[in-house]
């Protein structure tokens, strides 16, 4: 199939600040920047690197600080944006990048944890582990240790991944649910197991992207990463029976035949990225390249379109979470109705565009 529209979207999305994304210290913008850094490494196109650097540099003030960072507030989402600074620091050795990396690493030393040793998702979501949080925190933690710490101890990261398997994995259907409440106090959780009630595709997408990115960082390190490779394989194998015949996954993964459910872009593209990258790096068999490319191509066919000269990716769940949204007061109970009716479907949201570009880069690499 032709990817001309994809090239147009990637080139023009950089110019859409204020429309599809904003100048802010936020995990969504970081995912967009990460996708362009991936494109830069694959293509060598300097425009992609300069876009990333310019975006980050404009977040700094005249004193070399990023005012948006609040180290007094614990949110694993706040850690994710710092991951892009490693590549910038590696290239230009500007101390302002290292300062923020140190700041975020120091915050993790005092970050609140569950009794089992996992980071809370946020301080206002106490005792909760969300699949999202692994992507937000663990690639940063691993890369900081790898690049700057004398003692290369990755046991904390591996332990936190295995906690997710212990607490959020359903052995019966072989699927991961969205989150876990250790306290059993939240209205959305099962009072016996502490798990949220449904399998949200994008939550699983965050998990598998975290796994492949961490595994890549651990290559050539003196650490047993086999538990993470097995977890990646097991997670994807659990998802494959629910892959739609066309290649995509539903918003609520295991309820494809239920009215109101829909094939969702962001979760599908995250899974595609993980399969393509995992296969390319040798963590998965070559058949996963075929599966991942099928998911990618189906999403492009179904949801990528051009309207009035603008390229749009549709089918993206704008946002979803659990508990009471602290900004809007919206009650997010994790039910089927919540995920499929209460959160709107949008176009060109960074949750979908970022994994689209990441997966597109992996498609190109798989063709080399």
């Amino acid at each position: 199939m032709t990817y001309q529209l994809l090239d147009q979207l990637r080139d023009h999305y950089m110019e859409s600040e204020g429309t599809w994304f904003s100048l802010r210290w936020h995990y969504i913008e970081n995912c967009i920047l990460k996708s362009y850094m991936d494109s830069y490494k694959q293509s060598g196109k300097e425009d992609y690197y300069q876009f990333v650097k310019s975006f980050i540099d404009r977040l700094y003030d005249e004193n070399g600080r990023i005012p948006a960072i609040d180290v007094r507030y614990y949110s694993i989402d706040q850690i994710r944006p710092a991951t892009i600074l490693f590549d910038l620091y590696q290239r230009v050795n500007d101390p302002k990048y290292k300062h923020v990396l140190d700041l975020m690493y120091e915050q993790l030393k005092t970050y609140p944890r569950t009794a089992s040793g996992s980071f809370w998702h946020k301080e206002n979501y106490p005792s909760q582990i969300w699949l999202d949080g692994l992507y937000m925190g663990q690639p940063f933690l691993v890369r900081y240790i790898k690049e700057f710490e004398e003692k290369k101890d990755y046991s904390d990261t591996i332990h936190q991944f295995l906690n997710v398997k212990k607490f959020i994995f359903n052995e019966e259907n072989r699927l991961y649910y969205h989150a876990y409440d250790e306290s059993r106090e939240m209205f959305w959780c099962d009072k016996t197991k502490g798990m949220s009630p449904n399998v949200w595709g994008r939550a699983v997408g965050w998990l598998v992207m975290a796994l492949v990115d961490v595994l890549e960082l651990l290559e050539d390190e003196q650490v047993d990463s086999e538990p993470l490779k097995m977890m990646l394989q097991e997670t994807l194998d659990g998802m494959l029976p629910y892959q739609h015949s066309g290649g995509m996954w539903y918003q609520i993964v295991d309820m494809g035949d239920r009215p109101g459910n829909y094939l969702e872009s962001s979760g599908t593209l995250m899974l595609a990225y993980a399969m393509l990258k995992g296969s390319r790096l040798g963590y998965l068999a070559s058949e996963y390249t075929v599966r991942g490319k099928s998911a990618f191509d189906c999403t492009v066919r179904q949801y990528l379109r051009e309207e009035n000269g603008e390229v749009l990716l549709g089918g993206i769940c704008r946002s979803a979470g659990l508990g009471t949204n602290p900004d809007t007061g919206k009650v997010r109970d994790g039910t089927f109705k919540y995920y499929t009716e209460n959160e709107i479907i949008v176009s060109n949201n960074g949750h979908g565009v970022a994994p689209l570009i990441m997966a597109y880069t992996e498609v190109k690499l798989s063709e080399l």
Side-chain angles (χ1 to χ4, degrees):
M1 68 185 305
T2 176
Y3 294 128
Q4 182 179 359
L5 285 181
L6 274 163
D7 292 325
Q8 291 179 34
L9 175 63
R10 182 172 59 179
D11 289 343
H12 293 158
Y13 201 77
M14 293 187 293
E15 305 166 5
S16 63
E17 183 183 309
T19 302
W20 301 115
F21 65 98
S22 304
L23 183 66
R24 57 178 181 164
W25 183 262
H26 195 278
Y27 77 86
I28 297 177
E29 276 66 25
N30 168 266
C31 291
I32 295 167
L33 297 180
K34 194 264 188 191
S35 72
Y36 278 93
M37 189 62 78
D38 285 358
S39 293
Y40 164 69
K41 292 175 182 178
Q42 180 270 321
S43 69
K45 188 172 180 178
E46 186 70 12
D47 286 355
Y48 298 148
Y49 173 81
Q50 292 301 331
F51 164 65
V52 172
K53 186 175 186 302
S54 172
F55 186 100
I56 290 295
D57 287 348
R58 286 181 292 142
L59 293 172
Y60 280 85
D61 64 17
E62 64 276 8
N63 299 314
R65 301 291 187 267
I66 297 179
I69 297 174
D70 183 1
V71 294
R72 298 166 299 177
Y73 175 59
Y74 291 99
S75 167
I76 205 67
D77 290 349
Q78 186 178 224
I79 302 297
R80 179 69 211 178
T83 57
I84 205 70
L85 302 181
F86 290 105
D87 286 330
L88 299 181
Y89 182 68
Q90 192 174 61
R91 175 161 165 172
V92 300
N93 200 32
D94 189 327
K96 72 180 183 183
Y97 302 135
K98 180 62 161 53
H99 168 75
V100 174
L101 291 169
D102 292 343
L103 197 67
M104 295 289 90
Y105 185 65
E106 287 300 312
Q107 194 201 38
L108 285 181
K109 291 181 179 179
T110 59
Y111 199 95
R113 296 175 182 249
T114 63
S116 60
S118 291
F119 295 139
W120 289 5
H121 193 63
K122 296 180 183 181
E123 65 180 46
N124 49 305
Y125 299 138
S127 304
Q128 296 172 37
I129 308 171
W130 296 16
L131 293 185
D132 321 23
L134 292 169
Y135 189 72
M136 304 305 156
Q138 297 307 323
F140 172 87
L141 180 58
V142 169
R143 190 163 180 184
Y144 190 96
I145 292 170
K146 181 177 180 177
E147 297 199 7
F148 302 123
E149 289 290 273
E150 184 175 345
K151 183 181 179 182
K152 314 296 184 185
D153 184 359
Y154 304 107
S155 59
D156 187 10
T157 288
I158 292 174
H159 177 73
Q160 292 199 46
F161 273 107
L162 294 181
N163 269 351
V164 162
K165 180 176 180 180
K166 181 177 181 180
F167 297 120
I168 318 183
F169 184 62
N170 186 328
E171 293 284 352
E172 295 180 4
N173 62 14
R174 315 301 291 172
L175 292 171
Y176 282 86
Y177 287 60
H178 189 172
Y180 166 76
D181 175 24
E182 185 179 68
S183 72
R184 310 292 198 274
E185 294 178 358
M186 291 304 298
F187 57 85
W188 49 257
C189 80
D190 180 280
K191 300 308 177 186
T192 301
K193 296 182 179 180
M195 292 167 60
S196 60
N198 280 296
V199 183
W200 181 39
R202 186 155 79 217
V204 183
W206 290 125
L207 170 61
V208 292
M209 289 207 306
L211 282 164
V212 292
D213 286 358
V214 164
L215 281 167
E216 181 181 36
L217 289 167
L218 292 178
E219 287 189 354
D220 302 321
E221 295 295 294
Q222 297 300 309
V223 60
D224 180 11
S225 60
E226 284 303 312
L228 301 188
K229 293 177 183 177
M230 292 173 60
M231 189 173 175
L232 175 64
Q233 178 89 55
E234 181 179 61
T235 306
L236 292 172
D237 285 350
M239 293 290 284
L240 289 179
Y242 301 96
Q243 188 175 16
H244 185 263
S245 58
M248 295 187 70
W249 278 270
Y250 282 91
Q251 168 79 335
I252 299 299
V253 170
D254 56 340
M255 298 184 185
D257 57 351
R258 185 165 171 177
N261 209 353
Y262 62 95
L263 296 169
E264 200 276 331
S265 295
S266 66
T268 296
L269 291 165
M270 290 175 176
L271 288 156
Y273 166 79
M275 287 189 284
L276 289 161
K277 183 172 182 175
S279 181
R280 174 174 65 84
L281 295 177
Y283 314 138
L284 302 167
S286 59
E287 66 191 70
Y288 289 87
T289 299
V290 178
R291 287 277 199 168
K293 193 166 184 300
S294 171
F296 176 80
D297 286 343
C298 182
T299 307
V300 169
R301 282 194 302 268
Q302 177 133 343
Y303 284 123
L304 196 67
R305 66 195 191 279
E306 188 172 10
E307 288 184 4
N308 302 318
E310 187 167 33
V311 182
L312 302 172
L313 175 71
I316 307 167
C317 171
R318 183 178 64 177
S319 181
L322 294 162
T324 303
N325 187 310
D327 298 321
T328 66
K330 177 187 287 187
V331 175
R332 305 177 296 182
D333 59 6
T335 60
F336 177 89
K337 180 179 179 180
Y338 162 70
Y339 286 111
T340 58
E341 295 183 26
N342 294 4
E343 297 291 358
I344 65 172
I345 305 168
V346 296
S347 295
N348 275 20
N349 179 279
H351 287 107
V353 172
L356 174 75
I357 296 173
M358 291 183 211
Y360 185 34
T361 298
E362 288 298 327
V363 169
K364 287 181 169 289
L365 288 169
S366 73
E367 294 172 348
L368 294 178

